[in-house]
Structure formats: C-alpha cells, structure tokens
Amino acid sequence: MNIHEYQAKAIFSRFGVPVPDSHLIRTGDDVEPFCETLEPHAWVAKAQVHAGGRGKAGGVVRADDKQDLVAAVSGMLGTRLVTPQTGEDGLPVQAVLLEKTVEIHRELYLALLVDRESGRVAIIASTEGGMDIEQVAQQAPDRILTQLVHPAAGLQPGQARTLAYALGLPKDQVRQLQAILFALFELFASSDCSLVEINPLILDGEGRLVALDAKINIDDNALYRQVEIAKLRDPAQGNRDEEQACTLGLNYIRLGGSIGCIVNGAGLAMATMDLIKHHGGEPANFLDVGGAITQEKVAEAFKLVVRDAGVKAVLVNIFGGIVRCDLLASGILDALQSVSLQVPVVVLLQGTRANEGRQLLENRHTLLHQADTLTEAAQRAIRLARA
Ligand code: GDP
Ligand code: MN
C-alpha cells in the first residue's frame, strides 16, 4: 500500500528524520484565508498524489509571496495531475502540502527496500539526488551505493559511516546521516515497509540533512497488524476496480488483454494465464477469488471483470477443493440477474460438486458455455474473444 508524502513525512518526524516545516490544505478549505495565516516566507506547494515525477509536471511549485501561493494552490486543488508515473488520466489532487522553502546545497538519494536476491533489507544511496534513480542506475551504476543489512545483526554503525563517506559528507553530516539511517531502518522494520525512499535528501544552508521528499510503501500482507497505517489508505488514488476488489478481499490486478479470468488460487490463476498466452490469447486481468469464497463475492467478482471494456470473453476456471462448484455457479447466476451479459463466458468447473454446478449453469444463457478441460476452455475463450 502506498501513502501520501505528507503522511510519510509525519511518520518520518515521529522517528526523528528531519523534514521541512509544513501545512496541509485540502479540497474544500478556503485557500486565501488559509494562506494568510502562514508566516511570511517563500513556500513550495506540492500536489499530494500517489506518484512521483511531480516536479517536472507542475505538481511542485515555488511561490515567493502569498499571492503566488494562493494561485499555485488554487491551480492544483480539485484538478488531476498527470506525471510520467500516473498514466494519461492522471490522479486527483485533493490535498496540497505547503512547505517552507529550504536552501538546497546538495541533493542526495536514499532508499531502503527489500532485496529479494539476498533476502535482506538493502540501503541504497547516491550522490545523484533529485534525478530519476532508474536513469542513474543505467547511466552511472558506479554512483549507486548499496549496503545489505543482516537480519539478525541489524544495521551496523560502520555501514552507515561507509555510506556517508562514499557520499562525500563532512564529519558533522556523517553523524546526521548515521542518525537518519538508524531511524529509517527502525521505521522500515517496525512498520513492515517494502520501500522507504527519500529523493532528494538535501543538505541545506545550515549544513542540515533534510528529507525534502518522502515515499513509503507498506507490504499489503502486513496491513492486518499495521492498523494505524492501514487507515491512511486513500482509495481515490488507486484504480477504482482494484480498490473495490481489495475491499471485497479479492486479488484483482488489471492487465491489458481481452480475456477476463476468474480463478480460485493464485497458482491456478497463473497456470490459466500461461495457457491463454500459450494458445495466442492475452489475459485482461488476474483475479483470484481465493478459497473462502461466498456466492456474493463470486457475483461481485464477475461484475468487476465484465465491467472492463477491454474484456471480449471471460474464462472461469474453478478447481473445487474447499470451494464448492455449485456455490460458484449460483454466484454467476446472481451476477447475471443484475448485469446484462454482452460477452461470451466459458466456464470450467472441476472438483467438489462440479456436476451440480454444471447443471445449474446448463442452458441458462446463450452466451454461457461450458468446457471439459482447461485447454478446451482456453482455446474456446480465445476463439470467442476474436469473433
Ligand atoms: P517529485 O518530482 O514528485 O519527486 O517531487 P519532489 O518532492 O522530489 O520535488 C521535486 C523537486 O522540487 C526537488 O527535487 C527539488 O529540486 C524541488 N523542491 C522541492 N521542495 C523544494 C524547496 O523547498 N526548495 C527548493 N529550492 N526546491 C524544492
Ligand atoms: Mn522526489
């Protein structure tokens, strides 16, 4: 799960990572009176969306006086911001972070993430802050420094010092960076993060290291025990269908193809997608209805998939172990009562109460087809999607 910059910075503050002074203004607040209350200073208005690349897209605007600030904030609130990371529809700006400008002497890059190869938390640092880090990794890989943290030993002071020296920091800032790294590691581990990124971490006019930007990703599988962080979810920033699926407890990821898939179990879903691809089709989504499925959830899952305009045929592949195939069939019939089906659906039911399920679906709709094997089901769905 992603959170906003202002939320990430509040967490940074709690852990002792320095951030600029700031205020948050939201849609519905009166912009002018709000800006009047601010102390006279140059401010930066930052659109709060779940995407980076705002700087180059007009989502980070410096204002030297109140008038400019009012204009900048009014120009952002209630609009949609398009950045290279958002897709062409952009994301809604419902809050703007106002930050006191700081003098920037150096821009550094700092991130903590889970390195799957070593199975450890990796600390990544670079002298090339403020830039797209993927670009730095490609063009100047030697400018990217990495330290892997041993899971039992934890972050060692020597590792922090090594990074600080490699970044060319003088003595006083070495100590500051060390403190920041320990705070970030503590935050990362205790909040079940998958990514913490500061781009840029700056050196200001008074020789202080300050996090000018903040990005935190939390491992979705840990949200059950990160109750406070889970409350920070902003559904407006996500794909509407994916958000709805999440609330229903379904694993739904939209892909670009034409064959909608409804499958139980992630492994079976992947096998189904492989087979669709093998026979020349393209899956439109990954939808795992899981094991503890109810009739209502099946109906919702079905509606979700057929709502995707790119879907030209649906493949339902259920292997009934814990799931009962008749319950699944009833869920499909429920969905057919409230949606008028426009695309063909191929259903393959195997396992627990498969025969009962098949009988329920027999001759219920002209667009409803049943198959006996997965290969047959995949080939039929691909053929129908092209018709
Ligand atoms: P992003 O483009 O979405 O990653 O947004 P950032 O928060 O990283 O802001 C983009 C850029 O705006 C930063 O790299 C800085 O160069 C600049 N910026 C942001 N805040 C300030 C500030 O307070 N003072 C100055 N001078 N520049 C700032
Ligand atoms: Mn940034």
Side-chain angles (χ1 to χ4, degrees):
M1 185 184 91
N2 220 331
I3 61 175
H4 283 294
E5 175 192 8
Y6 77 89
Q7 296 166 329
K9 281 179 168 165
I11 296 175
F12 276 11
S13 276
R14 278 212 296 285
F15 281 84
V17 177
V19 296
D21 291 340
S22 68
H23 299 274
L24 188 76
I25 179 163
R26 297 171 187 273
T27 312
D29 292 342
D30 284 328
V31 179
E32 217 171 323
F34 188 99
C35 292
E36 279 310 317
T37 63
L38 301 177
E39 106 184 52
H41 199 278
W43 293 81
V44 178
K46 306 182 81 178
Q48 298 299 289
V49 291
H50 284 187
R54 297 166 303 168
K56 289 173 206 128
V60 179
V61 176
R62 191 191 147 101
D64 289 314
D65 57 41
K66 293 273 163 70
Q67 210 179 336
D68 285 357
L69 187 61
V70 171
V73 175
S74 307
M76 287 178 189
L77 274 180
T79 65
R80 293 183 78 87
L81 183 70
V82 181
T83 87
Q85 297 181 14
T86 59
E88 58 187 32
D89 287 345
L91 289 169
V93 183
Q94 297 173 332
V96 173
L97 185 66
L98 307 179
E99 279 190 338
K100 249 189 201 177
T101 52
V102 291
E103 214 180 300
I104 300 180
H105 282 220
R106 284 189 67 190
E107 290 188 298
L108 306 171
Y109 174 92
L110 201 59
L112 279 73
L113 50 90
V114 178
D115 176 51
R116 292 178 196 283
E117 215 161 295
S118 61
R120 296 184 179 188
V121 173
I123 301 181
I124 316 278
S126 174
T127 50
E128 308 304 298
M131 305 221 335
D132 181 0
I133 198 67
E134 279 82 13
Q135 214 172 318
V136 179
Q138 235 172 34
Q139 291 164 3
D142 54 308
R143 304 247 169 94
I144 302 214
L145 316 159
T146 307
Q147 286 286 327
L148 299 173
V149 182
H150 190 281
L155 178 62
Q156 299 297 303
Q159 294 187 295
R161 269 197 306 275
T162 303
L163 286 174
Y165 293 142
L167 290 171
L169 292 177
K171 200 164 161 230
D172 187 37
Q173 282 79 36
V174 172
R175 232 171 295 137
Q176 288 182 44
L177 186 78
Q178 213 166 352
I180 289 173
L181 287 175
F182 273 93
L184 289 176
F185 186 72
E186 169 68 19
L187 153 63
F188 189 94
S190 66
S191 308
D192 291 312
C193 298
S194 47
L195 173 76
V196 173
E197 186 185 57
I198 306 179
N199 189 20
L201 173 74
I202 61 118
L203 187 60
D204 74 4
E206 281 115 52
R208 294 193 331 141
L209 289 174
V210 182
L212 214 57
D213 196 2
K215 181 172 178 179
I216 295 181
N217 281 337
I218 310 290
D219 185 342
D220 286 338
N221 295 311
L223 286 175
Y224 73 95
R225 64 180 187 190
Q226 296 294 340
V227 180
E228 287 309 309
I229 293 178
K231 288 181 194 156
L232 303 180
R233 179 185 287 280
D234 181 355
Q237 299 292 321
N239 173 284
R240 191 186 58 140
D241 292 345
E242 288 183 6
E243 285 294 330
Q244 202 203 332
C246 180
T247 343
L248 289 165
L250 303 166
N251 272 315
Y252 175 77
I253 294 159
R254 211 164 153 173
L255 307 166
S258 64
I259 301 181
C261 305
I262 300 176
V263 187
N264 67 317
L268 191 60
M270 284 194 270
T272 306
M273 294 188 352
D274 278 353
L275 208 67
I276 290 173
K277 286 214 168 218
H278 178 74
H279 290 291
E282 281 295 330
N285 67 280
F286 173 101
L287 194 155
D288 169 15
V289 295
I293 190 81
T294 62
Q295 195 167 322
E296 292 73 36
K297 272 194 197 177
V298 172
E300 291 307 317
F302 191 86
K303 288 185 224 167
L304 208 66
V305 170
V306 296
R307 190 156 77 206
D308 179 351
V311 168
K312 301 297 175 222
V314 177
L315 171 53
V316 181
N317 180 20
I318 299 298
F319 186 81
I322 300 167
V323 169
R324 282 169 33 203
C325 291
D326 56 340
L327 182 143
L328 191 112
S330 305
I332 293 178
L333 293 177
D334 278 356
L336 290 182
Q337 304 228 309
S338 54
V339 294
S340 91
L341 194 59
Q342 309 286 340
V343 295
V345 178
V346 180
V347 184
L348 172 61
L349 299 178
Q350 294 176 99
T352 310
R353 297 178 81 92
N355 283 337
E356 288 83 345
R358 284 159 175 266
Q359 273 162 23
L360 281 171
L361 296 180
E362 207 52 45
N363 297 321
R364 291 302 289 265
H365 199 291
T366 47
L367 287 171
L368 211 51
H369 308 260
Q370 300 206 58
D372 295 317
T373 68
L374 182 50
T375 299
E376 183 203 335
Q379 287 174 334
R380 175 103 64 103
I382 293 167
R383 211 167 43 238
L384 289 166
R386 286 188 185 135

